[in-house]
Amino acid sequence: MKHDKLAETVQTALHAQADAYTVPDNMKERIDREIAHSEHRRDSMSRFRVKKAAAAAAVFTVLTGTICFAGAKAAYTVGQSSSIPKYTSFADLGKLEKEVGVKTCAIERFSNGYAFDGLFVTKNQDKDSAGNTVHKYDNIDVSYKKGDNCIRYMITPGQRGLEASEVTQQFDVQGCAYYYTETQNLFVPPGYEPTAEEQKAQDEGRLNIAYGASEVEHKVSRQLTWADGAATHELFAMDVDLSAQELLDMALEMQ
Amino acid sequence: MDEAGLVERMKCGDKEAFGMLYDMYKERVFRTACLIAGNQADGEDIAQETFLKAYVNCRMLRKNESFRYWLFQILNRTAWNVAGRAKREQPQEEPYGNAVPKTDSTPLLTLLHAEQTSAVWQAVAQLSYKQRATVILYYYNELSTKEIAHVMDCMEGTVKSRLFTARKQLKKLLPPDVSKEGIYYEA
């Protein structure tokens, strides 16, 4: 460092000024809260999927019109993943595809502004009604962001089940069926007692109640699902205002 | 455990290691953020966001030994964004308000130091963001020009040029007794 009078003066003044700033006692607490919040947002998505699978299995026996996807033998699925991306560079996608054993059609950026944000791996276990693991598999989650909005593109090896009753809209494009579902979700703390109305909505499949949140939150999720011979693909948006057509456009952009 | 070891633990999601790194850097990061932003409120936001981003994105850091510079890199980018946001918003309350130095031996010395700090501080405030950040990283954090280039993502020559221009500007803005003689130190 250059040591002259000016340097000394500036240095002393900056130190004097800096000494007047005291780290707030609650700053760490606020950071921890923010970290917990960001982890919760990610966990919410996983919990949603678990509960949704369980709800789908519950009505499976009484409904007949199931969508063509096969293999929905599990009563529910437990998914586990880290809130920290496994890879943060899009260039690592090929490596991850090899690790998980599934080919994705992910792109780096969509024309509507959503851009690649990270690569996650979710470790899933399909359970039967007695809680026994019947199938283990990993899936790739590709996260995209646009401002504060986040969407996920999830790719699971094989074909996963989807209930006809869940489908809000169906699109057939070039011989491939795309299923759009829109779900009302209620994230609630453990031990929460649903009201009679909420229970009725859940029983009728109009509401998905997910336990484990720190406070009651109502969120709408939108999902577009399609399958090819080797994998099931899902575009998933929680509390993001995207129409079915916009999700379909994004899916087609990846083909 | 050394810093690189703590970073490695943090990468595995160890929050205790993150807490230890936070304790190591909180004052330096917070004060640098306040100096660059020019006020405590924005400084708090910048520091908070810096630590949050450091935790969430720690796997992006390739060399654990470079954590310190990486942290300052995040701080600089966050501060740059906050500065841009502040520009678009209403003026804040007392940006670059004067701080009162905490300790001095005599009331006269305290007064003289306070005046000098105020004059320098006001002059630093008038520098452009990039010059101001460079001056703070160089004179307050005592980073080398090479290290600043790494933090600010630019060439070392650019840092030297910013420092040169900033010093020239400060000389112009400061009263001659402060910029040349430094009489307060003689008191």
Side-chain angles (χ1 to χ4, degrees), chain A residues 3-22:
Chain A
H3 284 288
D4 58 13
K5 210 70 200 172
L6 179 69
E8 208 177 312
T9 307
V10 171
Q11 202 170 18
T12 308
L14 288 178
H15 276 278
Q17 181 72 27
D19 285 349
Y21 296 124
T22 314

Side-chain angles (χ1 to χ4, degrees), chain A:
Chain A
M1 187 187 294
K2 208 170 181 177
H3 284 288
D4 58 13
K5 210 70 200 172
L6 179 69
E8 208 177 312
T9 307
V10 171
Q11 202 170 18
T12 308
L14 288 178
H15 276 278
Q17 181 72 27
D19 285 349
Y21 296 124
T22 314
V23 181
D25 291 338
N26 63 351
M27 192 163 87
K28 179 68 169 38
E29 207 177 291
R30 281 188 275 141
I31 294 166
D32 288 343
R33 222 168 24 230
E34 282 295 316
I35 289 173
H37 181 66
S38 75
E39 286 176 341
H40 167 65
R41 275 171 63 186
R42 177 157 167 73
D43 287 349
S44 294
M45 288 196 179
S46 302
R47 266 197 300 276
F48 161 78
R49 299 181 71 209
V50 170
K51 285 300 288 185
K52 192 107 172 66
V59 292
F60 190 77
T61 50
V62 291
L63 291 170
T64 49
T66 51
I67 298 300
C68 59
F69 299 172
K73 284 179 185 166
Y76 61 98
T77 304
V78 178
Q80 213 179 10
S81 63
S82 164
S83 60
I84 299 167
K86 175 146 190 179
Y87 296 111
T88 52
S89 163
F90 188 76
D92 288 324
L93 179 62
K95 199 168 26 173
L96 190 59
E97 286 178 344
K98 271 188 195 158
E99 282 173 33
V100 175
V102 68
K103 187 92 185 123
T104 76
C105 37
I107 56 175
E108 197 163 5
R109 177 177 282 274
F110 290 96
S111 56
N112 62 0
Y114 278 91
F116 171 81
D117 185 53
L119 292 168
F120 299 82
V121 175
T122 304
K123 295 196 172 296
N124 301 285
Q125 288 182 30
D126 284 348
K127 305 269 187 180
D128 62 19
S129 53
N132 303 309
T133 302
V134 291
H135 182 44
K136 279 184 183 179
Y137 59 95
D138 292 351
N139 74 264
I140 297 178
D141 284 9
V142 187
S143 167
Y144 292 91
K145 270 196 174 173
K146 182 182 170 186
D148 288 337
N149 291 337
C150 174
I151 62 160
R152 288 294 176 109
Y153 166 46
M154 300 179 282
I155 315 94
T156 309
Q159 302 216 340
R160 306 290 301 159
L162 183 67
E163 277 302 324
S165 60
E166 296 175 307
V167 176
T168 314
Q169 215 172 333
Q170 179 176 339
F171 304 90
D172 291 296
V173 185
Q174 292 174 340
C176 181
Y178 296 84
Y179 303 99
Y180 173 75
T181 57
E182 198 172 291
T183 310
Q184 304 292 326
N185 301 279
L186 193 66
F187 291 94
V188 296
Y192 176 85
E193 286 293 328
T195 63
E197 199 183 337
E198 287 164 354
Q199 191 58 56
K200 186 168 180 278
Q202 174 164 260
D203 294 344
E204 291 171 359
R206 291 182 285 112
L207 181 71
N208 176 50
I209 301 178
Y211 290 84
S214 52
E215 55 188 39
V216 176
E217 281 179 282
H218 181 263
K219 290 181 176 183
V220 180
S221 59
R222 297 172 175 90
Q223 185 172 343
L224 188 79
T225 309
W226 71 100
D228 54 29
T232 305
H233 306 255
E234 294 163 73
L235 269 174
F236 182 84
M238 178 73 82
D239 242 16
V240 175
D241 197 16
L242 275 173
S243 68
Q245 187 59 50
E246 282 171 302
L247 279 174
L248 178 66
D249 290 343
M250 291 173 82
L252 295 177
E253 220 175 301
M254 289 196 279
Q255 308 302 317

Side-chain angles (χ1 to χ4, degrees), chain B residues 22 27 39 54 62 68-69 73 92 122 131 142 162:
Chain B
Y22 171 83
E27 286 202 349
N39 66 85
R62 292 196 179 167
R68 180 181 179 222
Y69 305 115
Q73 212 169 36
Q92 305 131 343
Q122 295 303 326
Q131 284 176 359
E142 296 183 22
R162 279 179 196 156

